[in-house]
Amino acid sequence: MAQIYERVALIGLGLIASSMAYAMREKGLAGEIVGTARSSETRDLAREIGFCDRVVETAAEAVEGADLVVLCVPVGAMGAVAEEIGSHLQSGAVLSDVGSTKRAVIDAVGPHVPEGVHLIPAHPVAGTEQSGPRSGFATLFENRWLLMTPDEGVDPEVLARYKSYWEAMGALVGEMEPDHHDLVLAVTSHAPHLIAYTMVGVADDLRRVTDSEVVKYSAAGFRDFTRIAASDPTMWRDVFLANKDATLEILGRFTEELFALQRAIRTGDGEHLHDYFTRTRAIRRGIIEAGQDTAAPNFGRSGGGG
Ligand code: NAP
């Protein structure tokens, strides 16, 4: 595949940035990949692993001469990074990010974008519970959605080029209005993460069931919760603080439904439970039909279901 950008700067060198670097290299999408991270430990580790052509000390230095700059830091850190790099961005460059929420990032980054720089906020709906520069892999974005939330005024050619870059890394690219993005992701990702954190917290607090019993008899349902609840604490703290309104709206609805199910269990209303579970099963089928998960039992993993 042909080179799309001459110099790509990755700010923050964790799961997403390292995966982008591997994918870019594999497809030959960038002339040079320059990276930087906040701590010297991460910068040294990234140099040792070698997924960037150059790892530099500061974000300001990293963006010099870059025609694509991607912010790959937690959403709460985007504003400060944008402020640092703003005056160093090359005219005509694309400034993007991979943050899991969009409205808060646009509000924080927008004021620091100089005239002549194209801001294209984006979110790869792809990830794992791993973090840091060792966790990346080239196929992370394959067949996963990359949601862009560009301003109406953005140059269509610049946008098309950035779209082709993500498609070359294997992503399916869609466009959304930022607030709608945040509501959709509150349903599909943010609220489920909070529920997983809560469920694992409950198991931990419930003294009548010992920790070793929880681990030993961990059935598939709980195991999946623990996997999600092992996600990076900084990233997820920032997601909830940044997507407060949409998450609270979804959690409000969740609580109402939970109370309805609780009442059905108490009153022995099996019909309610059966109807509800029939409806949710159809949603699972839809996800599989859309190619976003596997129909294999236990998500294709071998060993102990439950
Ligand atoms: P990660 O593996 O934890 O890496 C985060 C990077 O950001 C590290 O290089 C870290 O530097 C740097 N960083 C942390 N706090 C910072 C601060 N206050 N100022 C400057 N740099 C800071 O994170 P990730 O999973 O790649 O996530 C990066 C972004 O992608 C986040 O905005 C997240 O919402 C989004 N995202 C994540 C996923 C996912 O599943 N993980 C999926 C889609 C989108 P040090 O190592 O030096 O601390």
Side-chain angles (χ1 to χ4, degrees):
M1 214 161 291
Q3 180 181 312
I4 298 180
Y5 294 102
E6 273 174 36
R7 183 179 294 168
V8 177
L10 301 172
I11 314 300
L13 294 173
L15 168 72
I16 302 292
S18 56
S19 297
M20 290 175 71
Y22 289 124
M24 277 190 267
R25 279 210 169 151
E26 201 176 279
K27 314 280 182 189
L29 306 179
E32 188 187 25
I33 303 171
V34 184
T36 192
R38 173 179 57 168
S39 67
S40 57
E41 287 82 5
T42 300
R43 294 194 298 270
D44 287 345
L45 193 53
R47 281 188 192 106
E48 189 190 314
I49 305 168
F51 52 78
C52 291
D53 298 307
R54 274 193 297 136
V55 175
V56 298
E57 301 303 297
T58 66
E61 207 182 322
V63 306
E64 293 289 351
D67 49 352
L68 172 63
V69 175
V70 188
L71 308 182
C72 305
V73 298
V75 291
M78 298 275 183
V81 172
E83 187 175 8
E84 183 192 340
I85 62 173
S87 60
H88 300 267
L89 292 166
Q90 175 179 284
S91 179
V94 169
L95 174 62
S96 187
D97 75 290
V98 293
S100 306
T101 75
K102 296 278 51 98
R103 175 58 67 195
V105 171
I106 292 168
D107 290 348
V109 172
H112 306 293
V113 183
E115 202 55 40
V117 169
H118 309 275
L119 177 65
I120 309 180
H123 173 208
V125 187
T128 74
E129 68 282 14
Q130 308 290 332
S131 54
R134 283 203 193 281
S135 56
F137 53 100
T139 54
L140 178 64
F141 310 110
E142 262 173 33
N143 203 29
R144 295 282 166 243
W145 283 96
L146 181 282
L147 296 175
M148 292 180 174
T149 62
D151 192 74
E152 278 173 10
V154 74
D155 182 327
E157 266 179 46
V158 171
L159 189 64
R161 191 142 162 257
Y162 192 49
K163 186 176 170 206
S164 72
Y165 163 77
W166 276 98
E167 283 173 344
M169 291 196 285
L172 310 164
V173 179
E175 271 184 54
M176 257 187 205
E177 192 279 322
D179 293 318
H180 188 65
H181 166 278
D182 289 355
L183 183 62
V184 170
L185 268 292
V187 177
T188 59
S189 170
H190 307 165
H193 267 82
L194 201 72
I195 293 160
Y197 281 124
T198 316
M199 197 57 231
V200 175
V202 166
D204 190 44
D205 288 343
L206 196 68
R207 292 291 160 224
R208 274 174 296 149
V209 178
T210 65
D211 285 355
S212 64
E213 280 174 314
V214 168
V215 173
K216 191 169 164 192
Y217 303 118
S218 173
F222 186 72
R223 272 209 323 252
D224 289 326
F225 278 132
T226 60
R227 184 185 59 73
I228 296 170
S231 301
D232 188 67
T234 306
M235 169 186 158
W236 284 97
R237 175 202 63 195
D238 283 9
V239 166
F240 293 119
L241 296 179
N243 199 17
K244 181 174 162 181
D245 293 346
T247 308
L248 290 179
E249 181 186 336
I250 301 307
L251 286 175
R253 285 167 189 251
F254 173 79
T255 316
E256 284 172 20
E257 304 256 331
L258 192 63
F259 279 140
L261 291 173
Q262 203 175 328
R263 193 174 55 243
I265 293 169
R266 184 178 302 112
T267 60
D269 187 350
E271 200 180 324
H272 180 95
L273 296 174
H274 193 270
D275 288 352
Y276 201 90
F277 302 157
T278 304
R279 185 152 65 87
T280 54
R281 190 177 219 189
I283 293 171
R284 170 77 191 154
R285 230 177 279 130
I287 291 171
I288 292 162
E289 276 162 23
Q292 294 298 306
D293 209 344
T294 168
N298 200 18
F299 304 97
R301 290 184 300 234
S302 55

